[in-house]
Amino acid sequence: MRKIDSIIIHCSATPAGRHVTAADIRKWHIARGFTDIGYHYIIYLDGSIHTGRPLSQTGAHCRGHNTGSIGICYVGGLDALGTSPADTRTDVQRRSLRSLVAQLLDTYPGATVHGHREFAAKACPCFDVATEL
């Protein structure tokens, strides 16, 4: 198993309320030249958690920080028009994200939790991970 030292939170950068699946994101990533979906977990609007890339494989979600990290993406991140970053998480997405992160921190003691925007000039994940998680 890989040594995990960080968990990085992302959004799918899709409009509020738009249903997107792991299969959709996988297609987008493969079209960009990835070998598979870049994230390890995707949280749907209904709060359900879906697996993406296996944890045993290095992700492709945060340039320069993929080795040793787990990538989690929630569906959403843009306003309803799809033009501006926004924290569009549903209540169940918030709960699922907290639960998943807590579980991963139990499994990987000492891992730190970050928002993608800490490592890239992006708004992603459109909320302050440090204060919330």
Side-chain angles (χ1 to χ4, degrees), residues 13-81:
T14 52
R18 178 177 160 201
H19 179 64
V20 173
T21 67
D24 295 327
I25 297 172
R26 179 173 278 112
K27 287 178 194 172
W28 302 340
H29 286 185
I30 289 172
R32 290 177 52 199
F34 296 12
T35 58
D36 193 2
I37 189 170
Y39 308 116
H40 296 96
Y41 295 99
I42 300 86
I43 302 175
Y44 287 8
L45 297 172
D46 66 3
S48 60
I49 299 170
H50 299 262
T51 56
R53 190 177 288 222
L55 284 177
S56 61
Q57 295 178 9
T58 299
H61 56 91
C62 188
R63 186 179 303 239
H65 299 276
N66 289 313
T67 302
S69 71
I70 294 173
I72 301 173
C73 177
Y74 76 89
V75 172
L78 296 178
D79 64 14
L81 298 175

Side-chain angles (χ1 to χ4, degrees), residues 101-116:
V101 168
Q103 177 185 6
L104 291 170
L105 289 173
D106 282 344
T107 304
Y108 304 101
T112 56
V113 183
H114 305 273
H116 185 203

Side-chain angles (χ1 to χ4, degrees), residues 88-102:
T88 62
R89 292 173 298 152
T90 63
D91 288 338
V92 289
Q93 279 180 309
R94 289 173 195 272
R95 287 193 300 272
S96 292
L97 180 59
R98 276 190 224 105
S99 176
L100 177 58
V101 168

